[in-house]
Amino acid sequence: MEGNNIVGLKQGAQNISMEPGGQIELSGAPLETLHQTRAEVNSHLCQVKAVGEELGIGFLGLGFQPKWALSDMPIMPKAKFEIARNYMPKVGSSGLDMMFRTCSVQVNLDYGSEQDMIMKLRAAIALQPIATAIFANYPLKEGKLSGFLSLRSYTYTDTDSDRTGMLPFVFDSSFGFERYVDYVLDVPMYFVYRNKRHINRTGMSFQDFMAGKLPQVPGERPTLNDWEIHLGSIYPEVRLKRYLEMRGADGGPFSTLCALPAFWAGLLYDDESLRCITDMIVDWTSEERDMLRRKVPVTGLKTQFRGGYVRDLAENLVKLAKERAHGSWFLE
């Protein structure tokens, strides 16, 4: 609850929340197999459809709102959304579109050690534009062709440079947990949650919070919950928490919602495929990774790369994922 409004649902280890423009987000339970993921997604979509039919509402699995202008979009009754809505135009031209008109599907994968995290995070960041190309799912904006194959992905390129992007420091030889923490500490805050209130702290440093120097809560230092909230307020292409969160794919229908975890599990959960990917990306430059990030939202699988096309990379990666993933029939 927030005030008198229901703003989320919980059932076991699953959570359902509303994003700023009314997008419904299922945060699924940690599961062991792709088959369990498929069953969970199917159950969720059946529930959404049943409730929607009662209310005369339909839902679309798309990467971008197909018809409505930004001014037509509602805002869900959460104080943190109002704080972000006022802050976004100060740091980028597409932040409000990102909030209200985009929809993605994300996959969370475990890591077993710091070194395992480093290998998986580097592979996931380098390949995230390839996933964007494979799962690109909406070229329209307000009923007209937008010039992009993934308009959702493009909006993140001018949302807020402090909290988005391809994280080039991940590929430094000294990278590890501590370096990622340093990065997050430098990302400006959105708010502090105290006494059931969201206190606007946009632009303030978490470092200052650590030192007890936030004006609104003088002398107070952050809790672990404050840190977890702050971790969730950054939106790089892959987000590191107690798991790795793949953030590059557009929202889509049931088939692609199930294909995405099969794709990433096949690539990152198998030692041999992870080694193959590590060898493949080892000499990709920061400039090449950024180029893919910029161009793929426009040209998708037809993006040129090293004398070939992203399509060539995508075909090889899907083949590798199908060979290595248990339950790879999701990719058929």
Side-chain angles (χ1 to χ4, degrees):
M1 302 294 293
E2 188 163 325
N4 294 321
N5 296 304
I6 298 173
V7 295
L9 303 171
K10 184 174 179 64
Q11 178 176 276
Q14 300 177 42
N15 292 278
I16 296 174
S17 59
M18 300 290 283
E19 292 300 288
Q23 308 96 315
I24 293 179
E25 178 174 357
L26 167 69
S27 297
L31 299 171
E32 292 186 5
T33 70
L34 296 170
H35 305 282
Q36 292 171 333
T37 298
R38 179 185 186 276
E40 181 185 64
V41 171
N42 185 56
S43 173
H44 170 66
L45 293 180
C46 287
Q47 292 176 17
V48 168
K49 183 177 180 181
V51 173
E53 286 179 347
E54 288 186 16
L55 299 173
I57 297 171
F59 293 90
L60 298 174
L62 300 172
F64 199 87
Q65 220 297 331
K67 183 176 179 181
W68 296 345
L70 188 58
S71 58
D72 296 326
M73 299 300 299
I75 181 169
M76 298 300 101
K78 289 185 179 183
K80 67 178 185 179
F81 293 158
E82 192 65 44
I83 290 171
R85 180 169 70 168
N86 293 329
Y87 180 69
M88 284 294 185
K90 301 175 183 178
V91 291
S93 65
S94 299
L96 295 181
D97 275 335
M98 180 276 288
M99 286 180 63
F100 292 101
R101 296 204 284 179
T102 66
C103 183
S104 64
V105 52
Q106 297 151 12
V107 175
N108 299 330
L109 297 178
D110 293 314
Y111 50 85
S113 65
E114 184 170 33
Q115 186 56 43
D116 187 42
M117 176 277 293
I118 292 170
M119 287 184 67
K120 287 176 177 173
L121 182 55
R122 287 174 176 167
I125 288 177
L127 299 183
Q128 210 62 214
I130 316 304
T132 300
I134 294 172
F135 292 91
N137 185 35
Y138 218 64
L140 300 184
K141 180 180 182 180
E142 297 170 22
K144 300 177 182 178
L145 286 172
S146 65
F148 297 90
L149 295 179
S150 175
L151 185 54
R152 179 209 61 84
S153 180
Y154 170 73
T155 63
Y156 277 86
T157 64
D158 193 15
T159 286
D160 181 347
S161 60
D162 287 328
R163 66 187 77 239
T164 60
M166 294 287 280
L167 307 184
F169 62 85
V170 166
F171 296 88
D172 295 343
S173 60
S174 60
F175 176 72
F177 287 131
E178 185 174 355
R179 177 66 184 87
Y180 192 83
V181 169
D182 289 341
Y183 155 69
V184 177
L185 286 172
D186 287 336
V187 175
M189 297 175 63
Y190 277 153
F191 61 85
V192 175
Y193 188 68
R194 290 292 183 275
N195 301 317
K196 297 184 178 181
R197 289 193 313 117
H198 294 80
I199 303 170
N200 188 338
R201 296 314 309 135
T202 48
M204 295 295 293
S205 164
F206 204 89
Q207 298 272 25
D208 288 342
F209 195 7
M210 296 280 285
K213 295 180 180 179
L214 287 189
Q216 269 77 1
V217 283
E220 194 163 337
R221 286 176 168 78
T223 64
L224 185 59
N225 187 57
D226 291 319
W227 175 246
E228 290 176 350
I229 289 172
H230 186 58
L231 271 176
S233 74
I234 62 174
Y235 317 116
E237 290 300 286
V238 182
R239 184 158 63 186
L240 173 61
K241 293 185 175 179
R242 296 178 185 177
Y243 44 81
L244 293 171
E245 183 178 291
M246 314 294 143
R247 299 179 53 84
D250 285 355
F254 177 70
S255 58
T256 60
L257 295 181
C258 294
L260 188 68
F263 175 77
W264 283 117
L267 295 178
L268 301 188
Y269 270 1
D270 180 82
D271 290 342
E272 183 176 334
S273 61
L274 184 55
R275 281 194 297 270
C276 288
I277 293 166
T278 299
D279 292 342
M280 181 178 72
I281 67 171
V282 66
D283 64 343
W284 290 14
T285 66
S286 178
E287 291 75 18
E288 285 177 319
R289 293 191 297 268
D290 285 340
M291 179 276 293
L292 289 172
R293 176 69 189 90
R294 291 193 314 273
K295 292 189 176 181
V296 159
V298 183
T299 49
L301 293 170
K302 294 182 179 179
T303 304
Q304 294 185 356
F305 183 71
R306 292 194 168 190
Y309 294 91
V310 164
R311 180 183 63 246
D312 304 321
L313 284 172
E315 288 175 348
N316 290 333
L317 289 171
V318 169
K319 181 181 178 182
L320 182 62
K322 289 180 71 171
E323 289 172 350
R324 309 308 301 185
H326 300 293
S328 61
W329 53 271
F330 284 136
L331 292 168
E332 297 294 343

